[in-house]
Amino acid sequence: YLDFKTYIKRTPSTIIQPALTPAPMPPAQTLAPTPMPTQAPALTLTPTPAPTPGPTLAPTLAPAPEFTSRVIRFSLRGDEGSEKIRTTVNGVTSAAVTLTTSEMEFSYDIGDSLEKGEEFEFFITFENDNGPRDVHFVAMYPPLESLSISLPDRHWSRWNCDDPDAEKQNDRCAKVRSGTFAWKGTYKLRAASALGLAE
């Protein structure tokens, strides 16, 4: 008999491993096809017809205000807002008026005693010129082009304003005629006609 140790040496060891049974595979999942989104049918846009333009109406202009030939209208303003003036219309001289830097409107009824074709004169006296003070006259009715404005004193003659040769006239003459009263004195404004005031 062989002893146990000798037996172990001579007998190859055999290790029996249990057979491994593969785990069953889960059944393959059947994926349902993802439905494609249904596209809405393309919209056919019908263009909106442009409105048929109606006839173009010419704007209705309000009639210009009618100034009666018996009324004169003008405005005055000062550069400093402290200019003092007086007006003389139909022989009546007003009290002194202190102008502002905004337009001040004046309106006078010249009456109906004058006949068409006669000249009508009124006067504006600038009392307190000191250099920076100036008065600006704006004609409303009659218009400036139908007025003759002058400063009939020593200035007017010294400036040669009545000389028929315009080149000999001082530039101050044109300033006065345009309505700039920059010198102390009484300015004469003469209209061509009393009833038409502008032929």
Side-chain angles (χ1 to χ4, degrees), residues 73-173:
R73 296 179 61 193
F74 57 88
S75 65
L76 297 172
R77 68 173 177 85
D79 278 348
E80 294 288 309
S82 57
E83 290 81 355
K84 292 184 182 297
I85 63 97
R86 294 177 189 268
T87 62
T88 301
V89 181
N90 286 339
V92 178
T93 300
S94 70
V97 177
T98 300
L99 302 179
T100 68
T101 55
S102 299
E103 302 287 344
M104 295 179 64
E105 185 174 322
F106 297 79
S107 177
Y108 296 96
D109 188 338
I110 65 174
D112 56 1
S113 59
L114 299 177
E115 297 296 332
K116 184 175 182 179
E118 294 182 348
E119 292 183 347
F120 175 76
E121 296 178 346
F122 60 102
F123 303 86
I124 299 173
T125 301
F126 180 20
E127 295 188 336
N128 64 338
D129 176 38
N130 70 341
R133 293 192 188 116
D134 286 337
V135 174
H136 298 278
F137 168 88
V138 177
M140 301 173 70
Y141 187 84
L144 183 63
E145 56 268 20
S146 65
L147 285 174
S148 172
I149 306 176
S150 61
L151 180 59
D153 62 1
R154 65 186 186 280
H155 293 306
W156 206 249
S157 59
R158 189 171 69 247
W159 295 340
N160 298 318
C161 295
D162 291 327
D163 195 303
D165 187 352
E167 293 183 356
K168 295 181 180 180
Q169 297 183 15
N170 192 290
D171 293 341
R172 297 179 179 88
C173 306

Side-chain angles (χ1 to χ4, degrees), residues 22-97:
M25 295 295 291
Q29 296 182 354
T30 303
L31 299 178
T34 303
M36 296 296 290
T38 303
Q39 294 183 349
L43 297 178
T44 302
L45 299 179
T46 303
T48 302
T52 302
T56 303
L57 299 178
T60 302
L61 299 179
E66 295 181 358
F67 301 115
T68 66
S69 59
R70 296 185 176 91
V71 176
I72 58 173
R73 296 179 61 193
F74 57 88
S75 65
L76 297 172
R77 68 173 177 85
D79 278 348
E80 294 288 309
S82 57
E83 290 81 355
K84 292 184 182 297
I85 63 97
R86 294 177 189 268
T87 62
T88 301
V89 181
N90 286 339
V92 178
T93 300
S94 70
V97 177

